[in-house]
């Protein structure tokens, strides 16, 4: 289950290559991390985190160096969620955004935007005969595998559905990502999968779970064998993350709470009262980009401890999506949709962290 | 392999018919070509080139005279790239833009825009039985062949993929384009194909290769049997273009370098630090239009030597796409996507070269 050392070294070499000194001019922007060093939940300096990890744009860099993200999701029933996640990654500044979905979902997701690279590789039970399951499962994994090491972060779950054969294939994909030391953000039906198969992520520090109220409830019941305790929410989250072996959990709520089992931080700024479906998908795509940027940032600055890249990525993603939601709501009020929020990602990032 | 003389004469007659004196009023705009007469790389008078070769709009002209472009690309996996290339050609001012892609890709590419003419004629191995390959290959070529002489320029490669059967068919299409003396811009997976089969373009002066960093590296290794030398980049590019028998190469980078094996020019103006995928597709479609305009321009003015149409087309295409990228970036900053740049093509051209 643990990552093979050669894959890890390859990934590290890639990250070092990709680095290219893009943060050199940013050290003065370093944020205060006191809030994250505490065992109790304190408001993170989320804007400071966001400004620090966002790389400068440098004309000498080439395609891919600002991030290559892949979303695993999209089936016959759901196509919006993986699109929202993947397009959000691009709108924040990733260079390439891929989607791996079922054959039925692919033409639809492609048609939403020519900017995405959509791979029609997953299969659901209804299209696979029992005797073909093993061979098709191998083929699906091989298709994803050949791309894996190019990605800076995966998002597993948006619009994945709950088909047993498909989820088995996705389990194999998560295992392979882990062997290749690629960070994996898990949301939506991906959380249904890992809540039932905790081994998939347990002890993997580059796993990030982003549960909403109900998904968090199931996770707490399964792992801590109790109910959600809102009085001691930060302590319970810390314990939960620790019990799953130091994964990072972003618990979505009025305030977002983030913990990696060592520290807890909250992000309460901005926000919108609109709860239209799809906002979680924006967050998963955003967190994926910021985690890949946080990895580069941490490798580029000489500090003893500035927080794990997964914590930094979650805090930055949470702050940006809240800001974008608040901007969109200001304009669109009750009719605010997920697409409106996505259209505000760029402006929000520019307001917080101008290009020059 | 060399073009049959009857096809060449037909093409020339077509060009003369299409010409219609559209440059008559433009001779005062003639640019200085000193920069391109030198063996070393000098900054081209790119705006001068662009203004000179862009035809005036004349109400007496009819559909097709401002350019008919075809993109060969688009498969099950990739649909955005051929769309970006083909729509860019239209947005610059071509009258008709076709896409020849696989049957899976066609409905998706059609759905991006009703402005394109999309032909679902290519096939990938997975949909072809071994015993049918020869007949299907002939059928594919026949489908493209019947359109070939109507096109002013082909773009081969955007979203083509690397399926061996499909690439074999595309080799036949390139051979046929060459026999018909139709210029061919080769990018993306088309470069993968011709790097492995240099005969397809070697010695064809109307072949234009538009490699990015990695594609250029493979080309240099294959042809010059050495590594890329950034110290003497212009000399190496000149040698490379000469060795492939005088094709034109547009080497994309911080500055774009262009050579036809006789001269080298650079285009360094404008630009954007954003490296989102798809920008190369805008360039291939743009270069295709400008090459067809450069052909008309050269036939319409009485000058001894003003540079090859392929050089002029590459310089103009590079300048326009850089300008559009810089405009889009000014507005959209980090969230700039390829579609945003395409939306700036028209405004950029109008700023450089107003209609009246």
């Amino acid at each position: 289950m643990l990552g093979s050392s050669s894959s890890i070294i390859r990934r590290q070499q890639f990250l070092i290559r990709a680095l290219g000194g893009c943060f050199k001019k940013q050290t003065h922007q370093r944020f205060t991390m006191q809030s994250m060093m505490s065992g109790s939940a304190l408001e993170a300096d989320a804007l400071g985190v966001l400004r620090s990890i966002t790389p400068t744009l440098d004309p000498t860099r080439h395609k891919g160096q600002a991030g290559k993200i892949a979303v695993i999701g999209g089936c016959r029933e759901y196509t919006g969620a993986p699109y929202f996640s993947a397009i959000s990654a691009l709108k924040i500044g990733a260079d390439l955004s891929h989607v791996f979905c079922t054959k039925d979902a692919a033409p639809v997701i492609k048609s939403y935007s020519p900017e995405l690279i959509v791979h029609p590789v997953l299969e659901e039970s209804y299209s696979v005969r029992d005797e073909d399951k093993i061979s098709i499962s191998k083929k699906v994994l091989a298709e994803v595998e050949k791309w894996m090491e190019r990605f800076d972060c995966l998002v597993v779950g948006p619009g994945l559905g709950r088909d047993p054969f498909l989820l088995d294939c996705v389990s194999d994909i998560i295992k392979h990502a882990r062997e290749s030391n690629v960070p994996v953000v898990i949301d939506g039906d991906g959380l249904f999968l890992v809540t039932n198969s905790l081994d998939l992520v347990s002890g993997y520090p580059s796993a990030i779970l982003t549960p909403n109220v109900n998904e968090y409830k199931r996770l707490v019941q399964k792992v801590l064998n109790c109910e959600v305790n809102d009085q001691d929410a930060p302590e319970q989250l810390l314990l939960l993350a620790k019990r799953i072996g130091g994964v990072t959990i972003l618990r979505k709520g009025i305030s977002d709470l983030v913990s990696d089992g060592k520290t807890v931080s909250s992000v309460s700024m901005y926000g919108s009262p609109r709860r239209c479906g799809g906002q979680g998908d924006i967050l998963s795509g955003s967190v994926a980009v910021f985690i890949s940027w946080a990895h580069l940032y941490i490798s580029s600055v000489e500090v003893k401890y500035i927080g794990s890249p997964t914590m930094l990525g979650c805090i930055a993603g949470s702050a940006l999506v809240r800001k974008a939601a608040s901007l969109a709501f200001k304009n669109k009020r009750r009719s605010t949709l997920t697409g409106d929020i996505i259209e505000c990602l760029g402006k929000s990032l520019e307001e917080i962290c101008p290009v020059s």
Side-chain angles (χ1 to χ4, degrees), chain A residues 112-269:
Chain A
Y112 293 146
S113 170
E115 310 278 355
L116 304 176
I117 300 165
V118 182
H119 306 264
V121 298
L122 302 180
E123 298 271 7
E124 291 181 86
S125 302
Y126 75 86
S127 64
V128 180
R129 290 181 308 177
D130 277 351
E131 60 268 36
D132 296 333
K133 281 189 173 167
I134 292 175
S135 68
I136 288 184
S137 173
K138 278 186 186 161
K139 212 175 129 191
V140 168
L141 186 64
E143 283 288 329
V144 183
E145 226 177 47
K146 69 182 183 199
W147 289 92
M148 189 67 81
E149 285 180 20
R150 309 187 202 187
F151 296 131
D152 300 302
C153 192
L154 294 193
V155 180
V156 173
L160 197 56
R162 297 190 176 181
D163 178 77
F165 175 73
L166 186 146
L167 291 185
D168 280 348
C169 292
V170 172
S171 296
D172 290 341
I173 293 170
I174 295 174
K175 286 175 196 165
H176 185 74
R178 189 174 175 160
E179 282 165 16
S180 303
N181 207 27
V182 176
V184 186
V185 178
I186 295 175
D187 191 46
D189 293 318
L191 286 170
F192 169 81
L193 171 65
V194 302
T195 302
N196 293 329
S197 309
L198 283 164
D199 276 359
L200 287 171
V201 293
S202 186
Y204 182 43
S206 294
I208 304 94
L209 316 185
T210 55
N212 63 18
V213 173
N214 288 326
E215 289 153 354
Y216 188 69
K217 189 179 167 187
R218 280 197 294 271
L219 207 53
V220 167
Q221 287 169 338
K222 180 75 187 289
V223 178
L224 301 181
N225 205 19
C226 66
E227 293 304 313
V228 172
N229 175 355
D230 280 325
Q231 301 305 312
D232 302 313
E235 289 72 15
Q236 189 173 44
L237 178 65
L238 189 80
L239 181 63
L240 182 67
K242 198 183 287 179
R243 282 279 175 83
I244 315 179
V247 300
T248 295
I249 304 174
L250 194 174
R251 180 193 169 178
K252 296 179 275 195
I254 302 173
S255 288
D256 291 340
L257 277 179
V258 192
S259 178
D260 59 0
K262 295 177 195 138
T263 65
V264 187
S265 280
S266 67
V267 181
S268 314
M269 52 193 294

Side-chain angles (χ1 to χ4, degrees), chain A residues 52-101:
Chain A
S52 297
I53 65 176
T54 299
T56 53
L57 282 172
D58 172 350
T60 64
R61 295 165 67 72
H62 56 77
K63 188 170 76 176
Q65 287 185 303
K68 298 189 288 298
I69 305 302
V71 176
I72 315 290
C75 60
R76 190 161 56 162
E77 208 153 16
Y78 306 113
T79 50
Y83 162 74
F84 288 141
S85 184
I87 200 79
S88 297
L90 285 180
K91 292 272 183 176
I92 289 170
D95 284 343
L96 293 164
S97 194
H98 293 242
V99 175
F100 292 82
C101 61

Side-chain angles (χ1 to χ4, degrees), chain A residues 31 170 284 322:
Chain A
F31 47 90
V170 172
S284 64
R322 281 166 169 267

